Amino acid sequence: MRNAMSVDVEDWFQVGAFETVIDRRDWNGLEHRVEANTDAVLDLFAQAGVQATFFTLGWVADRFPALMRRILAGGHELASHGWDHARVFTMTADQFRDDLSRARTALEDAGGQAVTGYRAPSFSIDTRTPWAHAVLAEAGYAYSSSVAPVRHDHYGWPGSPRSLHRPLRDAALVEWPITLARVAGREVPAGGGFFRLLPNAVVERAVVRSNREDSHPAMFYFHPWEIDPGQPRVARAPLRSRVRHYARLGAMAGKLRTLLARHDWGRSDAIVAAHADGL
Ligand SMILES: [Zn+2]
């Protein structure tokens, strides 16, 4: 079964973990590494013959339009990760509408292709944002991959469906939650920092379980900064955030190469379209 390989395209200073110590107004003056790191991710995918979905910040598309065109030229899907990584539960419905629209304009202007997929920063669609899926449907999105159906210290919507589903009765919009992996009696998102920190087998088991037991494609994700051991260190961030952000960055590219070879991976939009009839 084909599973979704996705990348959340944001720079090392735009992550939720550093939100309290790096002001958005200072972003322009920081060292921008997202373009080189995303190019390295494109190389990894090209070597593996994998096409993926790049959920990209409008802020990044605005500054690096040529990178958006290289993503599309590789046969990948360019999708939205919002404008500047504001989490959905910090916004009103109107602010969310504006954030979506600003990001989409930047992505579509840069890439010249329609954007139909969205991922909320830090999986921030949950019980606090009961209007979010309706706003996405009104804006014409085909799907969202914005829910972590688990309890985590920063995010999560425990009890939400765990696989592709239609969250609204009167709209075709599909929600594709992040796949969960089981480790030491807990469930964690199959991707990002957990993938970096844990043996590959934990995520591989989650993919196989999703495919075999539940007959559903798995959704995996990571960030370009996760393959960049040379990124600047944010010394004043909380210890817990630093441990999560910096651990095993040097191992990530090799782990990804192994994972890419182990399963069948593709773009989210194509997989959603292939499964939509059965939902
Ligand atoms: Zn993100």
Side-chain angles (χ1 to χ4, degrees), residues 8 10 81 85 121-122 223:
D8 291 0
E10 61 203 41
H81 195 37
H85 220 264
S122 308
H223 308 87

Side-chain angles (χ1 to χ4, degrees), residues 10-270:
E10 61 203 41
D11 219 328
W12 59 271
F13 49 82
Q14 296 174 313
V15 300
F18 298 151
E19 207 177 52
T20 55
V21 289
I22 299 178
D23 196 297
R24 278 182 172 72
R25 286 169 297 189
D26 296 331
W27 283 3
N28 275 325
L30 297 170
E31 185 187 346
H32 293 168
R33 300 174 72 93
V34 68
E35 185 171 35
N37 289 336
T38 305
D39 278 327
V41 170
L42 286 169
D43 285 345
L44 272 178
F45 288 163
Q47 285 157 18
V50 166
Q51 293 178 333
T53 294
F54 288 71
F55 294 103
T56 303
L57 291 181
W59 191 96
V60 171
D62 199 40
R63 281 161 183 78
F64 304 103
L67 176 65
M68 303 303 108
R69 293 191 283 276
R70 290 198 292 281
I71 289 171
L72 290 165
H76 306 288
E77 177 190 6
L78 185 60
S80 174
H81 195 37
W83 172 255
D84 66 354
H85 220 264
R87 285 167 296 172
V88 181
F89 57 68
T90 67
M91 293 187 257
T92 64
D94 280 338
Q95 287 169 331
F96 181 46
R97 218 170 266 123
D98 291 346
D99 181 276
L100 281 176
S101 159
R102 192 176 178 195
R104 185 185 232 165
T105 300
L107 290 160
E108 293 185 348
D109 281 356
Q113 289 190 23
V115 164
T116 63
Y118 172 75
R119 168 163 295 147
S122 308
F123 300 106
S124 54
I125 290 182
D126 59 26
T127 54
R128 290 168 283 188
T129 59
W131 34 262
H133 283 124
V135 170
L136 285 162
E138 276 166 35
Y141 284 86
Y143 76 95
S144 151
S145 177
S146 304
V147 173
V150 66
R151 185 168 302 290
H152 179 272
D153 54 355
H154 298 303
Y155 55 74
W157 184 349
S160 181
R162 296 187 161 219
S163 48
L164 289 140
H165 62 282
R166 296 192 198 276
L168 303 166
R169 226 172 269 174
D170 53 356
L173 179 83
V174 170
E175 171 60 43
W176 189 349
I178 192 69
T179 297
L180 302 179
R182 291 180 196 157
V183 56
R186 272 185 79 186
E187 288 187 303
V188 298
F194 290 110
F195 174 72
R196 234 182 322 127
L197 293 164
L198 297 167
N200 270 38
V202 172
V203 165
E204 286 172 19
R205 275 199 299 271
V207 174
V208 169
R209 194 176 63 234
S210 177
N211 292 177
R212 289 204 190 136
E213 291 174 27
D214 308 327
S215 302
H216 277 289
M219 169 61 80
F220 177 84
Y221 84 107
F222 69 100
H223 308 87
W225 56 262
E226 291 188 275
I227 60 164
D228 179 13
Q231 66 189 275
R233 296 299 190 262
V234 183
R236 61 193 191 284
L239 177 64
R240 194 182 172 129
S241 301
R242 277 185 282 139
V243 168
R244 281 186 189 166
H245 190 91
Y246 298 124
R248 305 200 73 209
L249 295 172
M252 187 65 165
K255 286 171 68 69
L256 286 168
R257 267 187 214 101
T258 302
L259 188 71
L260 287 165
R262 204 75 88 193
H263 307 280
D264 182 10
W265 299 103
R267 300 163 51 135
S268 316
D269 58 348

